[in-house]
Amino acid sequence: MDIDLLKTFVEVVKTRHFGRAAENLYITQSAVSFRIRQLEQSLGVNLFIRQRNNIQLTAPGERLLPHAKMILTGMQRAKVDVALANNMHKQLSLSGTANIWDAFLQFGINHIVSAMPGVSLVAEVKAQQESTRLLLERTLDLAVLFDPPKVDELVVKPISDLAIIPVSTFDNATKEDFFDNQYVYVDWGTAFSLWHAKQFTGATPPYFRTSTGRIALDLILQCGGSAFVPEALALESIEAGRLTQVDEVESNSREIFVAYHKDNDQLEQIETIVNLLGAVK
């Protein structure tokens, strides 16, 4: 199957528009239409329901999408691996959810890169379910997660605990002030969500929700408010007097895990990365 046909299919799915897909692929709209027709003819199915300004996937299209993404990811990795072979480099791919990146991984990447000069590292932000799927498909080497997958084929290890503290830009904030005065909710995973439901005393829902502590921290520093953010991120602002920790509100912590396939052929390098991440403070 022509890789260009799959690239075009995935781009149309992403944009839901033949014209925008054509712009992103630097080809004409008629070329996009032709490629989609070719793909449909080769598979013997219709992939899209075409309506004016409303392009939707058919059931066969939905089934094709994950396979198309897997093939494209595999091809891209194969190209990089072949190129690296000339230079005797190894490649490892690592992923983390958005909240893991700004709270933890950004502090560990420098250690990995400096300690492993012979390894080419691909580091990406990916959702938990996508990371688990890619680990099982062997197109991802290592995932860093709050909620570890319970899959027999994967090795899962705890590597750190992330302290998450309640902070506010308002002095002497009470528990009611914390949740009712421009409270920003940060998604720290399933366990935190269950814990948070028992703590929340606000009369109104959070006025802003985000998946990353960095966004929440920047927002409350600019506009005022309160949020649960990593202690490591908040410490500088607390010491500068721009934030205060709210004593009446409980702190929390999240255990951080790494996951990788037990039959990965680069276990030695993966274990080195796990040890390096475990040393991050």
Side-chain angles (χ1 to χ4, degrees), residues 183-204:
Y183 174 59
V184 176
Y185 176 78
V186 185
D187 181 6
W188 292 112
T190 303
F192 176 85
S193 178
L194 295 172
W195 174 85
H196 182 272
K198 298 177 182 178
Q199 306 300 316
F200 185 75
T201 59
T204 58

Side-chain angles (χ1 to χ4, degrees), residues 246 276 280:
V246 182
L276 290 168
V280 175

Side-chain angles (χ1 to χ4, degrees), residues 28-90:
T28 64
Q29 185 169 336
S30 60
V32 168
S33 298
F34 179 71
R35 287 181 180 182
I36 296 300
R37 282 198 304 273
Q38 278 188 300
L39 186 58
E40 289 177 327
Q41 288 168 3
S42 69
L43 295 171
V45 296
N46 290 325
L47 298 172
F48 295 100
I49 300 170
R50 297 166 175 82
Q51 299 174 346
R52 183 174 179 83
N53 297 322
N54 184 22
I55 297 176
Q56 299 295 326
L57 280 171
T58 62
E62 294 280 3
R63 296 294 294 271
L64 175 63
L65 183 58
H67 296 290
K69 289 181 176 179
M70 181 181 68
I71 291 169
L72 293 175
T73 300
M75 283 297 298
Q76 181 60 35
R77 184 165 185 183
K79 289 179 181 178
V80 175
D81 281 345
V82 170
L84 289 171
N86 276 340
N87 299 312
M88 300 301 291
H89 275 63
K90 291 184 178 293

Side-chain angles (χ1 to χ4, degrees), residues 20 25-26 32 146 165 187 216:
R20 284 193 287 273
L25 293 169
Y26 300 100
V32 168
F146 281 133
I165 62 173
D187 181 6

Side-chain angles (χ1 to χ4, degrees), residues 215-273:
I215 291 175
L217 181 62
D218 290 346
L219 179 64
I220 65 174
L221 287 174
Q222 291 293 322
C223 303
S226 307
F228 286 99
V229 299
E231 185 176 27
L233 286 181
L235 189 58
E236 182 179 344
S237 295
I238 291 173
E239 291 175 345
R242 301 176 66 196
L243 284 178
T244 57
Q245 183 170 345
V246 182
D247 294 331
E248 287 190 19
V249 180
E250 287 186 34
S251 296
N252 191 272
S253 66
R254 289 305 321 269
E255 195 167 17
I256 298 173
F257 299 86
V258 293
Y260 55 90
H261 201 288
K262 64 182 181 182
D263 294 327
N264 193 296
D265 59 2
Q266 300 192 83
L267 287 177
E268 182 179 347
Q269 289 76 22
I270 288 174
E271 289 293 343
T272 299
I273 292 177

